[in-house]
Amino acid sequence: MANTGLLICSNPFRLLRIFPQIQRDVQSTLYVHFFPIPKLDKKTVRHRFMMIDAYKNLSPMNVDVRILLCGLKGTFDNQIATKRPVDVIFYDDHIKSEQLHHVMSSLSNKSPNCKTVFVQPNDACNSIDTKETTQYDEMENELYESVVLGGTFDRLHKGHKILLSTAALKCTKKLTVGVTDISMLNSKKLKELIEPCNTRISNVEGFLKDIDPTLEYEVLPIYDIYGPTIHDPTFQMIILSEETMKGGELINEKRVKAGLRPLDIIPVPLLEEDKTTSDCCEEEEQKISSSNYRMRLLGTLIKPPQPNNNIPPCPYIIGLTGGIASGKTSIANHLKDLGAFVINADTLAHRLYDINQPAYQEIIDVFGPSILTSNNEVDRKKLGAIVFNNKDKLEQLNTIIWPLILQRVKSIIESTKDHNIVVLEAAVLLSANWQYHCHEIWVSIIPPNEATKRLQERNNLSEKQALDRINSQPSNCEYVKNANVLFSTLWSCNFTHIQIKRAWSSLLSRVSSIH
């Protein structure tokens, strides 16, 4: 299998007949190159934008497809420059031998053993060749020297590629792209999984320079919905998705007030998500979006575990943690049903407060007899009111309790003989540095506002009391940074179960390879 391929195509309509034939032969990246359009009439200009249909129908492709724009724009010169070295060149029966030879000699970045492979188009898709459409007619009116667009661009997907490619097709000189800073993303689903801004900027810039190296690019962070659009007089046109048209109107209002020419606006249709794939769930958005891609990461291995020589390889210990009210216990119960041996650190901690237990007298010595009930038992509600309002007091309690819990956990694990997988459910796992006693860390997160709501309902707390407890823990970002596998119980029970089954199946494969 080749790492990177280049498909030479004479007509955008033919792409869908060829893709199925080569998708199993390319592992990482597939470039697509069209021969230059000889003249600009209505039909050929429309063909420029057929790359939208091409990207739209690439759902079977699990590789990074990049349609080179030099042929579509008629800017083909003596060189085809790709960022990644090409291992194989695919061509169909419409490509003549001299054209193939020309591409081979013009390709500046190819591997030493680059080969050519003939592809027979799939005749079952023959109707695609002659299909006509007028939906792109509005895009053919004129080209612009300076084009601008903006977005989050998390985990570049085909919707992003269409936006960026459309902007590049309409641009003749300079393309400016604003990438939203993390400060603008608080309302995004699973915002903790959004790539850093500098990573997203690098990905956008790399993609654009790959598909059209002839343009000048400026890719920069933006901190509001306007970015540079309301003060740069050189901008002529803005590319927007259908759902952000209102933003374009607001930009133009600001430009007019500033004495600037309003931008021409070209909307790009949203792409519908194909929910027939196995990775999709009913909770996902109907459109193709980065949010859907982040949801599909739940229950998968987002960071490979590192070998832990501090503990024996068996049993394999999963540290399950997350913020308060994030659904850890429901996840642990489901893992128990699947065959894991579950240890609940909170339950062990509660027993340590009992009379004649190791922590009992030491807690009284530190916090005083006022925390006792009439039966001389530790009133955990009174104790909680003290420690969750005083960081120093909380640290004092943790210093007493945490070592005793860990001692009990180790004792239980040593006596566990019938289970290969042990799940240690512990809210304090990271704070207590217990991750070093686990092989993997699994984390459950929910948004802070949802955690506050759940905690108020479950524990009958005021909003302030709930927030005090939430703020005493690591942030969601801190949890995610340490996670090998991530869950979220924000959605339906069914979706939570899908995540857990996905994680368990993957875990069994990893454990079997170890043992």
Side-chain angles (χ1 to χ4, degrees):
M1 176 181 285
N3 192 51
T4 303
L6 171 66
L7 170 62
I8 310 170
C9 196
S10 58
N11 184 334
F13 285 125
R14 307 204 90 209
L15 286 178
L16 302 184
R17 298 180 59 199
I18 299 173
F19 275 134
Q21 311 302 310
I22 62 177
Q23 61 179 313
R24 290 182 296 273
D25 298 326
V26 178
Q27 185 173 347
S28 177
T29 306
L30 178 66
Y31 292 105
V32 179
H33 170 68
F34 296 102
F35 274 92
I37 298 170
K39 61 179 181 177
L40 296 182
D41 58 25
K42 184 173 182 179
K43 183 176 180 181
T44 55
V45 174
R46 183 183 302 150
H47 282 185
R48 289 182 175 189
F49 295 95
M50 290 305 155
M51 61 85 195
I52 296 177
D53 278 330
Y55 277 125
K56 245 198 307 195
N57 290 281
L58 295 182
S59 53
M61 296 292 291
N62 295 317
V63 298
D64 180 6
V65 177
R66 301 187 169 202
I67 298 177
L68 305 179
L69 301 186
C70 56
L72 292 172
K73 295 180 75 170
T75 57
F76 180 68
D77 54 19
N78 294 325
Q79 193 176 75
I80 302 174
T82 59
K83 187 167 65 173
R84 300 160 190 175
V86 173
D87 303 310
V88 58
I89 298 174
F90 301 98
Y91 66 98
D92 68 3
D93 52 341
H94 280 200
I95 302 300
K96 299 176 182 178
S97 59
E98 59 267 26
Q99 291 174 318
L100 179 61
H101 176 75
H102 181 71
V103 169
M104 283 288 291
S105 59
S106 302
L107 186 60
S108 62
N109 191 10
K110 54 181 179 287
S111 61
N113 299 318
C114 181
K115 61 181 181 179
T116 59
V117 174
F118 170 75
V119 181
Q120 179 66 48
N122 184 353
D123 290 334
C125 304
N126 189 56
S127 60
I128 296 173
D129 270 48
T130 57
K131 181 182 176 183
E132 287 292 336
T133 179
T134 60
Q135 64 175 311
Y136 308 121
D137 286 357
E138 63 189 79
M139 296 183 183
E140 6 174 307
N141 296 331
E142 62 178 301
L143 302 177
Y144 302 82
E145 283 193 355
S146 182
V147 175
V148 65
L149 76 157
T152 304
F153 299 108
D154 178 44
R155 306 175 193 279
L156 275 185
H157 55 66
K158 55 190 175 183
H160 296 142
K161 292 177 181 180
I162 288 172
L163 276 175
L164 294 167
S165 298
T166 301
L169 280 171
K170 296 294 292 182
C171 186
T172 62
K173 187 175 181 181
K174 181 179 179 181
L175 175 57
T176 302
V177 184
V179 178
T180 50
D181 180 73
I182 194 69
S183 60
M184 293 181 63
L185 306 178
N186 287 329
S187 63
K188 294 283 188 180
K189 294 177 184 176
L190 299 170
K191 64 175 184 176
E192 298 84 1
L193 286 176
I194 295 176
E195 295 168 317
C197 188
N198 60 345
T199 299
R200 289 178 279 126
I201 286 175
S202 176
N203 290 342
V204 167
E205 191 169 22
F207 175 77
L208 287 170
K209 288 180 176 178
D210 220 7
I211 63 169
D212 188 355
T214 67
L215 296 177
E216 176 187 351
Y217 296 108
E218 183 178 9
V219 186
L220 70 165
I222 56 174
Y223 305 93
D224 56 45
I225 65 170
Y226 304 108
T229 59
I230 57 175
H231 55 72
D232 192 324
T234 66
F235 292 152
Q236 299 169 316
M237 188 270 283
I238 186 169
I239 294 281
L240 298 170
S241 64
E242 286 180 338
E243 65 180 353
T244 58
M245 289 292 290
K246 180 63 177 176
E249 295 170 6
L250 293 174
I251 286 170
N252 276 340
E253 287 177 11
K254 294 270 190 182
R255 287 180 67 88
V256 170
K257 286 181 181 179
L260 300 176
R261 173 188 173 279
L263 301 175
D264 289 352
I265 297 175
I266 291 186
V268 174
L270 295 173
L271 298 188
E272 287 190 10
E273 184 66 83
D274 179 8
K275 292 204 170 186
T276 61
T277 62
S278 58
D279 284 341
C280 291
C281 64
E282 60 184 18
E283 285 81 3
E284 291 183 10
E285 297 177 356
Q286 294 300 318
K287 64 174 184 175
I288 289 176
S289 71
S290 297
S291 297
N292 290 352
Y293 285 80
R294 292 193 296 274
M295 289 178 71
R296 292 173 201 168
L297 290 175
L298 298 174
T300 69
L301 193 66
I302 60 173
K303 183 174 68 175
Q306 298 301 308
N308 188 347
N309 298 323
N310 298 319
I311 54 178
C314 187
Y316 198 82
I317 302 170
I318 302 296
L320 175 60
T321 189
I324 192 167
S326 63
K328 297 182 297 297
T329 300
S330 63
I331 293 171
N333 289 338
H334 198 66
L335 290 170
K336 182 179 179 180
D337 292 340
L338 290 171
F341 183 84
V342 175
I343 302 172
N344 187 306
D346 280 350
T347 301
L348 296 180
H350 296 164
R351 293 171 186 165
L352 293 172
Y353 295 108
D354 293 346
I355 299 173
N356 298 324
Q357 290 299 313
Y360 178 78
Q361 188 58 50
E362 196 170 352
I363 289 173
I364 296 173
D365 292 342
V366 172
F367 296 98
S370 63
I371 62 167
L372 298 178
T373 67
S374 57
N375 295 326
N376 287 327
E377 296 175 343
V378 173
D379 188 328
R380 288 190 288 110
K381 193 169 185 179
K382 289 181 180 179
L383 183 60
I386 295 171
V387 300
F388 287 117
N389 287 293
N390 188 313
K391 186 177 180 181
D392 292 335
K393 294 291 186 182
L394 180 59
E395 288 183 1
Q396 284 181 295
L397 178 62
N398 292 339
T399 301
I400 297 169
I401 294 294
W402 285 353
L404 295 173
I405 299 174
L406 184 59
Q407 184 180 340
R408 292 276 178 98
V409 167
K410 288 181 176 179
S411 176
I412 293 171
I413 292 174
E414 287 174 5
S415 64
T416 302
K417 304 297 182 184
D418 299 330
H419 292 82
N420 289 331
I421 298 173
V422 171
V423 173
L424 170 59
E425 179 196 344
V428 301
L429 190 93
L430 300 182
S431 302
N433 286 322
W434 293 348
Q435 66 266 38
Y436 302 110
H437 301 275
C438 304
H439 296 98
E440 293 184 21
I441 306 301
W442 290 12
V443 166
S444 179
I445 62 169
I446 55 173
N449 61 334
E450 177 67 17
T452 303
K453 177 183 172 184
R454 290 185 185 183
L455 197 53
Q456 284 183 266
E457 293 175 355
R458 189 186 75 184
N459 292 27
N460 194 26
L461 300 176
S462 67
E463 183 177 2
K464 182 182 182 305
Q465 289 172 321
L467 285 171
D468 285 341
R469 297 196 177 194
I470 291 168
N471 292 333
S472 70
Q473 306 174 125
S475 67
N476 276 352
C477 287
E478 186 68 21
Y479 280 121
V480 171
K481 186 169 71 174
N482 286 274
N484 299 112
V485 175
L486 187 67
F487 304 97
S488 180
T489 61
L490 181 61
W491 296 279
S492 67
C493 290
N494 181 59
F495 183 45
T496 299
H497 291 167
I498 290 173
Q499 299 170 45
I500 296 168
K501 289 177 182 177
R502 187 185 292 160
W504 181 257
S505 176
S506 175
L507 174 64
L508 292 180
S509 298
R510 292 195 294 282
V511 171
S512 64
S513 67
I514 294 172
H515 303 302

